[in-house]
Amino acid sequence: MAILGSRDRLCIHREIRPRNGVHSTNGKMKSRENVNTACQIRVGNTEAYRKYAMNKKDVEYNDDQPPIHHPGDVSGGGGGVVEQNANDDSEQDLVHNDREGGSARIESDKTKMCPHYRQLTSGSLAKKAFETFVPDRQKVNCCSMGGDKTKFGAHDIEDLVKFGVLPNVKRGIALYRETSKPSFGLKLTQIKGERGPISVKSITPKEAATIEGTIKEGDTIVSLNNLDISRGYEISDISNRIRNASDPLLLDIYHGDGDDIEENEYSEESACPYYISRALAKDAEIVFCPYNYVLDPSIRNAMEIDIKDSVVVLDEAHNVEDTLRQEGSGKFGEIELLEMIVLLSTYASQWIPRDSIPSFGKEKESLQDKIPEIAHDILVFLEKIVHVMRQARHMFENDQGKHGVTSVTEEYQKFKFPDDKEFEMLYFGPTGSGDGTNPIGCKGFFSRHDINQREIEVIKSQLSCFQEYIFSKKSNQRSETRNTLADRLFSVVTTLCNAFQLSEHYFISAVISANGNLDFATGREGNVNRFKCKPKTIPGNPPNTVRNNDPRPRICNHPSCNKKSLGTISHETYCNGTTPRWESHLVINLLTPAILMAPILEHARSVVLASGSLAPLESLCSELHLLPPSAKDSNTISQSSDEAVNEEEKNIVSDPLSSISGRLQVVPRPLEANHVVDLNRQLLAISIGHFPDGSPLSVTYSNYNRTGFHHKLGLAISTVIESIPHGGVLVFVPSFSFLRKCVSTWQNSATWQTLLRSKGEIVVEPSSSQEEFEEARDLFNGTIQKTGNCILLAVFRGKMSEGVSFNDDYARGVICVGIPFPSSHDRSISAKMSYNNEQRKFRAKGLLSGSEWYNQQAYRAIAQAIGRCIRHAADYGTIILLDSRHCDDGHSYNQSGNCSAHANLPKWMRNSVRTLRKDMRQIGRNDLLGGWDNLQKEMAMFFEGARVHGASVIEKQRNDLQKKQENYSQLSQDLSFDHSSGQWSSSQVTPKK
């Protein structure tokens, strides 16, 4: 197996990604660099140095034993932090020839390199990585000696990082003894004094250590059953611990005498975990990786992930649709595009008329010779886009009405909305009804700005050539800034070309936002504090350098520009070095996941989608284009499918599950499973539509600002939590802004103290970084482990609501507050709703309507939050739905007999939800009478019975497991395995005569 992670998670370079947040060289904090860009720069330079050194006779370089140190490994040559200028020529890539001082540059500490990447060519390192992460096929078979702690090559991200830092330490070695042999087969000795490192003196043949095969004589024991014994223990103590240990004995060992073992230091052989993981993935049979590594074609190609004939398993697959749409979309700022124009202009200005180039026979023109013309074509195309964005900004700045800067400034002074608030000025996208005969999408954007098919085809071809050149070794312009700009340039042009070719599936808009922060944008610079985002400056025209300090615009001498304006065109007119108060952004949004899903379905052998909230499956199939050939013909994602579909094809598309015989499994039908628990005994699900005072409980936007609403909500939540006798309670609310309002209100009232008295600790989910999320999660888990009680206040669709398992006492209750509908004011949401309506009308009849899709997004979020509770067959808990819209009104039921209010909940719990009534009157089919007073009694009875039933389930599982083990043990006594033939034989079978 192999596990792929991002550079951000796997990088171990002291300066790019300091371990524990500090430099081990000088102990000073350093601001985080862009890990991806910084890594690419150092890797490129290191590889260039390697090839340079290997081709130089006077430079000693051995790939199998690469140099451990180089002046460029650490800033300043000795670990100091050097302030860097991204545009400084000295920070660029290595110069590859002696004429430009390549030798001097190689020895310069300003040529940044990576010692961990350099070590990857070491043969000894490759052997250690192979032994650590690749299982020995001779030892891994049906009768391998091992147990549940034996790794057999299994590992995670942290294992890769630890190996990269200290490759000589082998971790998690699990020794299991045979029944007849009480010893693990290790004889120890102590070196360097009475409390020095303890090493392996010898290994007894045919016992646990020999069979496991990792430990060698002379190895130093670093850790024993997670206890660090590298220093400070006597050999007699360790021998006794090993002798009295139960199976398995877990060891970390160091290949060596242990003198240089320090967990927080780097080995001289430290190697890059990121590239180690990529190397392991090439031959691995199972590869684990983040979603976008498979779903995003550009990342998939960059990571060299080959899905052809593979089985692709997508867990938490309810996110696939959104992830694919996001991967096909993009947002690009005006200032960012102007920086791209400066970059392109640098290459385009090198254009030389062909008739002025001397001819030397029929020599083929090189790619480098074509680059100025290629850059010019892309530059002219990009200028069109920038012109549109500037027009949108000027419209906003000059509009004196409610959509202009004057109105926004007045509103900001009153309401203080966030700095990232956007104001849409242009929109080209679905309307819900198309043009009357066909979906419209973003066609209007391209037609209005005279962008045609021929121009798009030329730009795609030119972009491919430019991309090949800019990242080739012929280009020495690989500074961090240029690298990032080039990546973004390819992204914006590629996304625009895709939107043109598949325009009915995209929308394009121009939005205006503050440049940096709204205090600066509205002319209140005096209020800007150091925590505010700083405004960006438009690049100069052209950027002044030592070689070129002429501030005048460069006149384009390309024939196409000369023909239009008689030699007066400059492509840097907008690059005036100013700092605008507002910035325009181009938003290109993909509205269907099917476009990016299609190549995965085409090449993979099978694609498995697994989640607890995929329903309705009919909509999922249509969204991902899981249709039979006949249906695909009528629902093809192409610009040319303008003919009307016939009635037969319409019927096929309207019910895809009934007739799909292609890629979608139909026999048996896709599985929507029930829960493994006894819902009557292990789940108490209650919907509540009124506050304890009897007033209606409806968590809608119109109620958010009503006096006393948050206070009454806090009282209701605290009453529920007090009724849960033990364990953690998760409370999910619709948004972070709503969460902040709740916390602020409750902390200034008795509600907060009531919550603290009931569970002792309250953890609030942060809305910022991954590190803060992990701290909050660990605090919650640690509190549960210590006291058995804690409250977690979290948000639907937040990190706490997906992918985190709160089993057993970590979550005995889940409280869902309201229904988390997405914001209908978000253009991506409203455009998607219009898109679905257009497609249903003209193309894909199996899609949900816009309103149905909108409703589905909310209930998928609820399903994920609900799924945090009850994680295994013996688990139990209560789920409380706080909102009147979840309550059975006694009238609305669907064809299956389910209450309409519960129809969108997960299948396994639809029939188990009871509605709390104010009094003793029965209204619905499954009511809980008696109001809030009876709720507390009901919950007390439930938890008492559930605890007993859960224990009985565990006992039954233990008994069943013991019986299976006894049966297996009896069977294994009658069988023997021949390693040479790979065959089993029975001792009871009489040999043939």
Side-chain angles (χ1 to χ4, degrees):
M1 64 155 284
I3 181 166
L4 296 175
S6 65
R7 285 185 171 92
D8 192 63
R9 293 290 302 277
L10 287 168
C11 180
I12 61 172
H13 196 283
R14 298 168 193 257
E15 295 187 0
I16 300 176
R17 192 70 162 86
R19 302 182 73 221
N20 301 323
V22 297
H23 285 292
S24 54
T25 51
N26 58 14
K28 294 182 179 180
M29 291 290 296
K30 183 188 176 187
S31 60
R32 286 279 306 276
E33 298 183 55
N34 182 303
V35 176
N36 276 323
T37 303
C39 176
Q40 289 172 1
I41 294 299
R42 289 182 181 269
V43 166
N45 289 344
T46 305
E47 186 64 23
Y49 165 67
R50 170 179 168 269
K51 293 184 177 180
Y52 169 88
M54 293 185 70
N55 291 328
K56 284 289 183 180
K57 295 182 179 179
D58 57 339
V59 178
E60 293 186 7
Y61 193 98
N62 184 351
D63 248 355
D64 194 44
Q65 295 179 333
I68 294 172
H69 302 293
H70 184 279
D73 292 343
V74 182
S75 295
V81 179
V82 177
E83 293 295 327
Q84 301 161 10
N85 180 355
N87 293 321
D88 187 352
D89 288 340
S90 65
E91 299 290 335
Q92 295 177 7
D93 186 27
L94 287 173
V95 179
H96 298 293
N97 56 72
D98 290 333
R99 289 182 303 166
E100 300 186 34
S103 299
R105 290 292 308 282
I106 287 177
E107 301 304 327
S108 169
D109 61 0
K110 289 190 175 182
T111 301
K112 298 180 181 180
M113 297 193 188
C114 179
H116 313 305
Y117 178 83
R118 191 165 53 243
Q119 292 300 319
L120 293 173
T121 61
S122 166
S124 62
L125 175 82
K127 182 179 179 181
K128 291 170 188 173
F130 190 86
E131 291 175 347
T132 302
F133 299 117
V134 179
D136 187 341
R137 293 182 180 273
Q138 297 298 319
K139 294 182 179 179
V140 182
N141 53 46
C142 52
C143 54
S144 295
M145 183 168 181
D148 57 354
K149 297 293 185 181
T150 303
K151 289 191 171 182
F152 289 134
H155 58 279
D156 58 18
I157 291 287
E158 189 59 30
D159 292 327
L160 286 167
V161 171
K162 288 179 178 179
F163 176 83
V165 173
L166 292 172
N168 286 326
V169 176
K170 292 293 184 68
R171 305 176 190 272
I173 300 170
L175 302 184
Y176 288 85
R177 292 168 290 193
E178 294 183 6
T179 306
S180 60
K181 297 180 179 179
S183 171
F184 289 102
L186 294 175
K187 293 185 178 179
L188 308 179
T189 184
Q190 192 156 31
I191 56 178
K192 314 292 184 187
E194 292 184 356
R195 293 182 177 269
I198 296 173
S199 65
V200 178
K201 182 178 182 180
S202 62
I203 302 174
T204 306
K206 298 182 179 181
E207 293 194 0
T210 306
I211 295 172
E212 198 282 332
T214 302
I215 303 174
K216 310 295 181 187
E217 292 183 4
D219 289 346
T220 301
I221 301 179
V222 178
S223 170
L224 186 153
N225 287 341
N226 299 318
L227 174 68
D228 184 358
I229 63 168
S230 57
R231 296 287 191 280
Y233 285 87
E234 295 183 359
I235 191 170
S236 58
D237 182 16
I238 299 305
S239 297
N240 287 331
R241 288 175 182 266
I242 293 177
R243 189 177 300 111
N244 297 325
S246 57
D247 286 5
L249 181 68
L250 298 178
L251 300 175
D252 292 350
I253 60 98
Y254 179 84
H255 289 311
D257 61 11
D259 274 349
D260 55 346
I261 299 177
E262 285 293 342
E263 277 295 306
N264 293 324
E265 292 296 330
Y266 291 76
S267 163
E268 290 185 341
E269 295 180 317
S270 296
C272 177
Y274 174 77
Y275 284 99
I276 289 174
S277 69
R278 290 184 60 174
L280 292 171
K282 289 183 178 180
D283 297 316
E285 295 174 331
I286 302 176
V287 178
F288 297 88
C289 62
Y291 256 13
N292 56 340
Y293 281 38
V294 173
L295 300 181
D296 188 326
S298 60
I299 298 178
R300 190 164 66 239
N301 293 334
M303 296 297 293
E304 299 177 327
I305 297 176
D306 184 10
I307 62 172
K308 185 174 177 58
D309 297 328
S310 298
V311 176
V312 178
V313 180
L314 298 173
D315 194 16
E316 303 292 348
H318 58 278
N319 288 324
V320 167
E321 295 174 35
D322 288 341
T323 302
L324 287 168
R325 286 197 298 267
Q326 291 169 7
E327 298 297 347
S329 305
K331 181 180 177 183
F332 309 93
E334 174 189 356
I335 296 176
E336 179 183 29
L337 292 184
L338 290 173
E339 290 172 343
M340 296 178 194
I341 283 179
V342 171
L343 174 66
L344 289 167
S345 186
T346 302
Y347 290 99
S349 63
Q350 301 169 12
W351 185 83
I352 301 174
R354 294 178 185 274
D355 54 8
S356 66
I357 302 176
S359 175
F360 299 99
K362 296 184 178 180
E363 292 184 5
K364 186 177 180 180
E365 188 177 23
S366 68
L367 175 60
Q368 187 168 359
D369 296 331
K370 298 177 182 178
I371 285 301
E373 187 164 354
I374 290 172
H376 181 269
D377 290 343
I378 301 173
L379 172 59
V380 172
F381 176 77
L382 208 59
E383 277 188 326
K384 285 187 179 182
I385 309 304
V386 172
H387 182 66
V388 174
M389 298 170 69
R390 287 178 62 85
Q391 281 184 324
R393 177 160 63 88
H394 291 158
M395 287 169 54
F396 175 78
E397 292 172 337
N398 297 326
D399 190 338
Q400 300 301 314
K402 64 178 182 179
H403 299 297
V405 67
T406 303
S407 176
V408 169
T409 300
E410 293 175 354
E411 288 184 18
Y412 176 65
Q413 292 172 351
K414 292 180 182 178
F415 304 112
K416 295 294 182 184
F417 38 75
D419 287 333
D420 59 357
K421 186 175 177 63
E422 297 176 343
F423 310 93
E424 185 179 270
M425 299 305 297
L426 299 173
Y427 171 74
F428 301 89
T431 62
S433 57
D435 61 6
T437 57
N438 289 293
I440 187 170
C442 63
K443 292 179 183 177
F445 176 85
F446 298 102
S447 58
R448 175 178 292 189
H449 302 103
D450 297 324
I451 299 175
N452 55 42
Q453 179 71 34
R454 183 178 179 281
E455 183 176 8
I456 288 294
E457 290 176 355
V458 169
I459 290 302
K460 286 185 67 176
S461 175
Q462 301 290 54
L463 181 70
S464 178
C465 295
F466 189 70
Q467 187 174 17
E468 178 186 345
Y469 173 77
I470 199 73
F471 289 119
S472 70
K473 298 175 179 61
K474 295 179 182 178
S475 170
N476 66 346
Q477 307 295 322
R478 291 203 293 266
S479 70
E480 293 183 21
T481 300
R482 292 178 188 271
N483 236 24
T484 304
L485 275 179
D487 284 335
R488 294 291 288 167
L489 170 64
F490 303 140
S491 179
V492 65
V493 176
T494 299
T495 308
L496 275 167
C497 291
N498 291 340
F500 176 88
Q501 294 177 318
L502 302 162
S503 57
E504 72 177 62
H505 305 289
Y506 283 83
F507 83 76
I508 296 178
S509 66
V511 298
I512 310 300
S513 63
N515 180 15
N517 60 83
L518 277 165
D519 284 330
F520 171 76
T522 56
R524 305 171 75 241
E525 292 92 334
N527 295 334
V528 178
N529 60 49
R530 63 190 181 91
F531 300 106
K532 292 277 189 177
C533 184
K534 298 295 185 282
K536 295 174 289 187
T537 300
I538 292 175
N541 174 21
N544 292 326
T545 64
V546 175
R547 297 179 181 178
N548 181 9
N549 59 3
D550 185 357
R552 294 175 298 176
R554 290 180 285 203
I555 302 300
C556 180
N557 60 350
H558 194 276
S560 62
C561 290
N562 278 327
K563 185 177 180 181
K564 292 179 182 178
S565 62
L566 301 177
T568 61
I569 285 185
S570 170
H571 295 294
E572 298 158 336
T573 304
Y574 301 141
C575 302
N576 52 19
T578 60
T579 305
R581 294 189 181 275
W582 302 92
E583 183 179 11
S584 179
H585 295 267
L586 182 73
V587 178
I588 310 170
N589 202 303
L590 177 63
L591 295 168
T592 175
I595 291 173
L596 296 185
M597 192 67 177
I600 298 174
L601 297 174
E602 180 183 355
H603 294 108
R605 181 186 179 199
S606 298
V607 178
V608 180
L609 304 177
S611 173
S613 53
L614 288 179
L617 297 180
E618 293 86 351
S619 172
L620 174 76
C621 294
S622 188
E623 285 276 353
L624 297 180
H625 207 52
L626 297 172
L627 302 170
S630 54
K632 287 180 181 177
D633 293 340
S634 63
N635 197 24
T636 299
I637 298 185
S638 68
Q639 195 61 41
S640 61
S641 55
D642 291 334
E643 299 86 17
V645 292
N646 59 44
E647 287 300 317
E648 180 182 357
E649 290 174 330
K650 286 183 180 179
N651 293 332
I652 291 174
V653 177
S654 64
D655 186 15
L657 282 185
S658 65
S659 58
I660 290 177
S661 57
R663 298 309 308 273
L664 184 67
Q665 169 190 308
V666 291
V667 180
R669 291 171 66 85
L671 179 64
E672 191 175 0
N674 292 316
H675 214 295
V676 296
V677 302
D678 184 338
L679 295 176
N680 293 324
R681 296 184 176 184
Q682 294 171 258
L683 171 68
L684 178 63
I686 301 174
S687 59
I688 304 176
H690 61 280
F691 288 113
D693 64 2
S695 60
L697 196 171
S698 180
V699 188
T700 59
Y701 187 76
S702 60
N703 289 330
Y704 285 3
N705 296 320
R706 288 192 176 182
T707 303
F709 175 79
H710 290 86
H711 173 72
K712 290 199 294 183
L713 180 62
L715 178 61
I717 292 173
S718 63
T719 303
V720 172
I721 291 177
E722 286 179 320
S723 303
I724 300 175
H726 62 276
V729 180
L730 315 180
V731 182
F732 291 99
V733 300
S735 66
F736 278 108
S737 60
F738 187 87
L739 176 61
R740 287 190 288 268
K741 179 66 174 177
C742 288
V743 171
S744 174
T745 301
W746 299 343
Q747 286 179 336
N748 294 320
S749 67
T751 302
W752 197 260
Q753 292 303 318
T754 302
L755 293 172
L756 287 173
R757 281 196 301 271
S758 62
K759 293 297 179 182
E761 181 72 54
I762 303 173
V763 177
V764 180
E765 179 179 9
S767 59
S768 49
S769 66
Q770 176 71 18
E771 287 80 4
E772 290 184 352
F773 158 73
E774 292 177 356
E775 288 177 5
R777 181 196 60 197
D778 293 344
L779 174 59
F780 178 83
N781 291 341
T783 305
I784 292 293
Q785 293 168 5
K786 184 177 180 181
T787 68
N789 293 290
C790 192
I791 298 171
L792 174 64
L793 303 179
V795 174
F796 291 110
R797 301 187 187 88
K799 294 179 180 177
M800 293 292 186
S801 70
E802 298 192 21
V804 181
S805 180
F806 295 99
N807 57 286
D808 299 316
D809 280 348
Y810 289 96
R812 290 302 181 195
V814 173
I815 302 174
C816 296
V817 179
I819 301 178
F821 290 106
S823 172
S824 59
H825 300 291
D826 186 334
R827 173 58 79 180
S828 63
I829 299 299
S830 61
K832 173 62 177 170
M833 294 169 66
S834 297
Y835 169 82
N836 275 33
N837 289 335
E838 278 191 2
Q839 292 294 311
R840 276 174 63 89
K841 184 175 181 179
F842 300 112
R843 297 277 193 267
K845 304 302 181 181
L847 279 178
L848 293 179
S849 68
S851 58
E852 290 171 333
W853 175 87
Y854 181 73
N855 194 56
Q856 181 196 64
Q857 304 311 300
Y859 280 93
R860 277 189 174 175
I862 290 175
Q864 283 302 304
I866 288 172
R868 299 313 94 202
C869 182
I870 310 183
R871 305 293 292 181
H872 57 82
D875 209 351
Y876 60 90
T878 182
I879 296 172
I880 306 296
L881 305 174
L882 289 182
D883 197 291
S884 59
R885 291 168 290 181
H886 287 303
C887 295
D888 184 354
D889 61 5
H891 303 292
S892 303
Y893 297 93
N894 59 23
Q895 294 178 351
S896 302
N898 295 320
C899 164
S900 297
H902 305 154
N904 291 314
L905 294 173
K907 176 184 176 182
W908 57 268
M909 70 171 290
R910 287 173 199 157
N911 297 322
S912 300
V913 181
R914 305 173 67 184
T915 298
L916 181 69
R917 300 300 177 191
K918 296 180 184 180
D919 46 38
M920 301 302 293
R921 289 182 298 170
Q922 180 88 23
I923 297 176
R925 296 181 178 179
N926 193 13
D927 287 348
L928 176 61
L929 308 179
W932 284 84
D933 291 337
N934 192 42
L935 172 67
Q936 294 177 313
K937 298 176 183 177
E938 188 74 19
M939 294 185 74
M941 292 173 56
F942 165 76
F943 278 102
E944 179 61 28
R947 181 181 62 81
V948 175
H949 181 74
S952 69
V953 172
I954 292 176
E955 183 64 25
K956 183 179 183 302
Q957 289 178 337
R958 287 175 177 167
N959 292 335
D960 290 345
L961 179 61
Q962 184 176 356
K963 289 180 181 178
K964 290 183 181 296
Q965 289 175 334
E966 290 173 355
N967 292 338
Y968 175 78
S969 177
Q970 181 63 38
L971 177 65
S972 63
Q973 292 176 8
D974 298 333
L975 296 173
S976 60
F977 185 79
D978 186 344
H979 286 270
S980 60
S981 65
Q983 299 293 321
W984 287 94
S985 62
S986 173
S987 58
Q988 297 180 354
V989 177
T990 304
K992 293 182 180 180
K993 295 183 180 180

